[in-house]
Amino acid sequence: MIRLCAFADEAGSSLQAQIDALKAQNEELEAQQAELEQQALDNYSEMEQVVQQKGNIDHQIALLNTQIRNTEAQIAAYSTLIADKQSELDVAQARFDELSEKNRERIRAMEENGSLSYWSVLFKANSFSDFLDRLNMMDEIARADRQRLEDMNQAAKAVAEASQMLQSQKAELEQTKESLDLSKAQLEVKRQESDALLADLVSRGVEFQMLLEEGEERLAQQMQELAQREMEYTEALQR
C-alpha cells in the first residue's frame, strides 16, 4: 500500500512538472503570438501609409502628365506661329530686297543718263520755273523711294522682332517642359520605390499570417496536451 502511494506521489509529481512546463510553454507561445499580432498590425499600418503615399504620387504624376501635354500643345502652337512669322519675314525681306534692287537700278540708270546732274536738269529746263519743278519732282521721287524702303525695312524688323519674341517664349516653354519631365522622372522613381516597399510589406503580411496560424495551431496542441496532463494528474490523485 505504501509502495502504491509512493508510486502515485511520484506519478503526480511527474505530471505536475509536465503541467507546469506546459503552462510555461503556453505562456511563452501566447507572448510570441501577441508580439506577432502587434508586428502584423504595425505592418498593416505601414501598408496603409504606403498605399496612401503611392496614391498621392500617382495623383501628382497624373497632374504632371496633364501639364506636360498642355505644355507640348503650347510648344506646337508656338512652332506654328514661328513658322508663319518666318514666312512673313521671308516675304517682307524679299520685297525689301526687290525694292532696294529696283531703287539701285533706277539710280544707276539716272546716273548713266546724267539725269541726276543739276546742270543736266537745268539745261533741259525751258525756264527757271520748269527747273524748280524738275528738281521738286526728282526730290519727291527720291523721297518716296526712301519712304517705301524705310517702311519695308521697318515691317521686316517688326516681323523679325515678333519672331524672336515667339522663339523666346517657346524656349521658356521648352525649359518648363524639361523641368516637368524631371519632376515626373523623380516621382516615377518614388513610385517604383513605393511599389517595391508595398510588395515587401504584403509579403511580410502573408508571412505574419502564416506564423500566426502556425502559432495558434501549436498553442491549440499545447492546450490539448495540457488538458490531457491535468486529467491524468486528477486521476492519479484519485487512485
Side-chain angles (χ1 to χ4, degrees), residues 133-146:
D133 290 341
R134 288 172 177 270
L135 284 179
N136 288 333
M137 181 184 66
M138 291 176 60
D139 186 56
E140 288 177 2
I141 291 173
R143 186 164 54 248
D145 286 345
R146 287 195 299 270

PDB file of all heavy atoms in Angstrom, residues 133-146:
ATOM      1  N   ASP A 133      10.477 122.848-110.932  1.00  0.00           N
ATOM      2  CA  ASP A 133       9.514 121.735-110.974  1.00  0.00           C
ATOM      3  C   ASP A 133      10.229 120.402-111.136  1.00  0.00           C
ATOM      4  O   ASP A 133       9.876 119.396-110.510  1.00  0.00           O
ATOM      5  CB  ASP A 133       8.529 121.944-112.125  1.00  0.00           C
ATOM      6  CG  ASP A 133       7.565 123.093-111.864  1.00  0.00           C
ATOM      7  OD1 ASP A 133       7.422 123.469-110.683  1.00  0.00           O
ATOM      8  OD2 ASP A 133       6.970 123.591-112.839  1.00  0.00           O
ATOM      9  N   ARG A 134      11.257 120.388-111.999  1.00  0.00           N
ATOM     10  CA  ARG A 134      12.011 119.142-112.203  1.00  0.00           C
ATOM     11  C   ARG A 134      12.756 118.714-110.939  1.00  0.00           C
ATOM     12  O   ARG A 134      12.793 117.541-110.589  1.00  0.00           O
ATOM     13  CB  ARG A 134      13.003 119.324-113.361  1.00  0.00           C
ATOM     14  CG  ARG A 134      12.360 119.379-114.723  1.00  0.00           C
ATOM     15  CD  ARG A 134      13.383 119.752-115.794  1.00  0.00           C
ATOM     16  NE  ARG A 134      12.803 119.752-117.125  1.00  0.00           N
ATOM     17  CZ  ARG A 134      12.766 118.706-117.938  1.00  0.00           C
ATOM     18  NH1 ARG A 134      13.297 117.558-117.541  1.00  0.00           N
ATOM     19  NH2 ARG A 134      12.216 118.795-119.135  1.00  0.00           N
ATOM     20  N   LEU A 135      13.343 119.708-110.274  1.00  0.00           N
ATOM     21  CA  LEU A 135      14.046 119.386-109.026  1.00  0.00           C
ATOM     22  C   LEU A 135      13.082 118.848-107.973  1.00  0.00           C
ATOM     23  O   LEU A 135      13.381 117.881-107.261  1.00  0.00           O
ATOM     24  CB  LEU A 135      14.759 120.633-108.495  1.00  0.00           C
ATOM     25  CG  LEU A 135      16.040 121.054-109.198  1.00  0.00           C
ATOM     26  CD1 LEU A 135      16.593 122.322-108.556  1.00  0.00           C
ATOM     27  CD2 LEU A 135      17.072 119.948-109.133  1.00  0.00           C
ATOM     28  N   ASN A 136      11.915 119.501-107.848  1.00  0.00           N
ATOM     29  CA  ASN A 136      10.914 119.032-106.870  1.00  0.00           C
ATOM     30  C   ASN A 136      10.435 117.624-107.202  1.00  0.00           C
ATOM     31  O   ASN A 136      10.254 116.788-106.320  1.00  0.00           O
ATOM     32  CB  ASN A 136       9.721 119.992-106.855  1.00  0.00           C
ATOM     33  CG  ASN A 136      10.061 121.329-106.195  1.00  0.00           C
ATOM     34  OD1 ASN A 136      10.952 121.385-105.349  1.00  0.00           O
ATOM     35  ND2 ASN A 136       9.354 122.388-106.589  1.00  0.00           N
ATOM     36  N   MET A 137      10.240 117.373-108.492  1.00  0.00           N
ATOM     37  CA  MET A 137       9.791 116.047-108.907  1.00  0.00           C
ATOM     38  C   MET A 137      10.840 114.988-108.580  1.00  0.00           C
ATOM     39  O   MET A 137      10.519 113.904-108.055  1.00  0.00           O
ATOM     40  CB  MET A 137       9.504 116.053-110.415  1.00  0.00           C
ATOM     41  CG  MET A 137       9.002 114.700-110.934  1.00  0.00           C
ATOM     42  SD  MET A 137       8.773 114.718-112.719  1.00  0.00           S
ATOM     43  CE  MET A 137      10.493 114.915-113.249  1.00  0.00           C
ATOM     44  N   MET A 138      12.095 115.276-108.869  1.00  0.00           N
ATOM     45  CA  MET A 138      13.178 114.333-108.553  1.00  0.00           C
ATOM     46  C   MET A 138      13.281 114.104-107.059  1.00  0.00           C
ATOM     47  O   MET A 138      13.469 112.966-106.592  1.00  0.00           O
ATOM     48  CB  MET A 138      14.509 114.858-109.095  1.00  0.00           C
ATOM     49  CG  MET A 138      14.613 114.856-110.611  1.00  0.00           C
ATOM     50  SD  MET A 138      16.169 115.590-111.161  1.00  0.00           S
ATOM     51  CE  MET A 138      17.336 114.499-110.380  1.00  0.00           C
ATOM     52  N   ASP A 139      13.122 115.173-106.296  1.00  0.00           N
ATOM     53  CA  ASP A 139      13.198 115.052-104.846  1.00  0.00           C
ATOM     54  C   ASP A 139      12.039 114.220-104.296  1.00  0.00           C
ATOM     55  O   ASP A 139      12.222 113.394-103.412  1.00  0.00           O
ATOM     56  CB  ASP A 139      13.198 116.455-104.223  1.00  0.00           C
ATOM     57  CG  ASP A 139      13.418 116.399-102.724  1.00  0.00           C
ATOM     58  OD1 ASP A 139      14.440 115.811-102.293  1.00  0.00           O
ATOM     59  OD2 ASP A 139      12.569 116.911-101.973  1.00  0.00           O
ATOM     60  N   GLU A 140      10.865 114.447-104.863  1.00  0.00           N
ATOM     61  CA  GLU A 140       9.699 113.680-104.423  1.00  0.00           C
ATOM     62  C   GLU A 140       9.848 112.200-104.767  1.00  0.00           C
ATOM     63  O   GLU A 140       9.492 111.317-103.986  1.00  0.00           O
ATOM     64  CB  GLU A 140       8.438 114.250-105.074  1.00  0.00           C
ATOM     65  CG  GLU A 140       8.017 115.590-104.499  1.00  0.00           C
ATOM     66  CD  GLU A 140       6.812 116.163-105.216  1.00  0.00           C
ATOM     67  OE1 GLU A 140       6.308 115.474-106.130  1.00  0.00           O
ATOM     68  OE2 GLU A 140       6.379 117.283-104.861  1.00  0.00           O
ATOM     69  N   ILE A 141      10.368 111.934-105.959  1.00  0.00           N
ATOM     70  CA  ILE A 141      10.578 110.526-106.354  1.00  0.00           C
ATOM     71  C   ILE A 141      11.579 109.848-105.414  1.00  0.00           C
ATOM     72  O   ILE A 141      11.364 108.732-104.930  1.00  0.00           O
ATOM     73  CB  ILE A 141      11.061 110.444-107.811  1.00  0.00           C
ATOM     74  CG1 ILE A 141       9.945 110.850-108.759  1.00  0.00           C
ATOM     75  CG2 ILE A 141      11.536 109.019-108.128  1.00  0.00           C
ATOM     76  CD1 ILE A 141      10.381 110.965-110.210  1.00  0.00           C
ATOM     77  N   ALA A 142      12.680 110.573-105.159  1.00  0.00           N
ATOM     78  CA  ALA A 142      13.702 110.012-104.275  1.00  0.00           C
ATOM     79  C   ALA A 142      13.161 109.818-102.859  1.00  0.00           C
ATOM     80  O   ALA A 142      13.409 108.799-102.208  1.00  0.00           O
ATOM     81  CB  ALA A 142      14.927 110.927-104.248  1.00  0.00           C
ATOM     82  N   ARG A 143      12.397 110.826-102.398  1.00  0.00           N
ATOM     83  CA  ARG A 143      11.831 110.740-101.046  1.00  0.00           C
ATOM     84  C   ARG A 143      10.816 109.603-100.946  1.00  0.00           C
ATOM     85  O   ARG A 143      10.767 108.865 -99.960  1.00  0.00           O
ATOM     86  CB  ARG A 143      11.189 112.078-100.687  1.00  0.00           C
ATOM     87  CG  ARG A 143      10.712 112.123 -99.233  1.00  0.00           C
ATOM     88  CD  ARG A 143      10.431 113.552 -98.742  1.00  0.00           C
ATOM     89  NE  ARG A 143       9.507 114.229 -99.635  1.00  0.00           N
ATOM     90  CZ  ARG A 143       9.823 115.255-100.409  1.00  0.00           C
ATOM     91  NH1 ARG A 143      11.070 115.710-100.432  1.00  0.00           N
ATOM     92  NH2 ARG A 143       8.908 115.840-101.179  1.00  0.00           N
ATOM     93  N   ALA A 144      10.000 109.434-101.974  1.00  0.00           N
ATOM     94  CA  ALA A 144       9.020 108.341-101.993  1.00  0.00           C
ATOM     95  C   ALA A 144       9.721 106.985-101.991  1.00  0.00           C
ATOM     96  O   ALA A 144       9.308 106.040-101.302  1.00  0.00           O
ATOM     97  CB  ALA A 144       8.106 108.468-103.204  1.00  0.00           C
ATOM     98  N   ASP A 145      10.808 106.900-102.786  1.00  0.00           N
ATOM     99  CA  ASP A 145      11.570 105.638-102.802  1.00  0.00           C
ATOM    100  C   ASP A 145      12.158 105.339-101.426  1.00  0.00           C
ATOM    101  O   ASP A 145      12.110 104.196-100.936  1.00  0.00           O
ATOM    102  CB  ASP A 145      12.691 105.719-103.837  1.00  0.00           C
ATOM    103  CG  ASP A 145      12.168 105.606-105.253  1.00  0.00           C
ATOM    104  OD1 ASP A 145      11.004 105.184-105.403  1.00  0.00           O
ATOM    105  OD2 ASP A 145      12.905 105.957-106.191  1.00  0.00           O
ATOM    106  N   ARG A 146      12.738 106.369-100.818  1.00  0.00           N
ATOM    107  CA  ARG A 146      13.327 106.173 -99.479  1.00  0.00           C
ATOM    108  C   ARG A 146      12.258 105.778 -98.459  1.00  0.00           C
ATOM    109  O   ARG A 146      12.499 104.923 -97.599  1.00  0.00           O
ATOM    110  CB  ARG A 146      14.047 107.448 -99.031  1.00  0.00           C
ATOM    111  CG  ARG A 146      15.349 107.714 -99.758  1.00  0.00           C
ATOM    112  CD  ARG A 146      16.181 108.779 -99.031  1.00  0.00           C
ATOM    113  NE  ARG A 146      15.469 110.040 -98.950  1.00  0.00           N
ATOM    114  CZ  ARG A 146      15.537 110.998 -99.857  1.00  0.00           C
ATOM    115  NH1 ARG A 146      16.270 110.829-100.965  1.00  0.00           N
ATOM    116  NH2 ARG A 146      14.867 112.149 -99.709  1.00  0.00           N
TER     117      ARG A 146
END
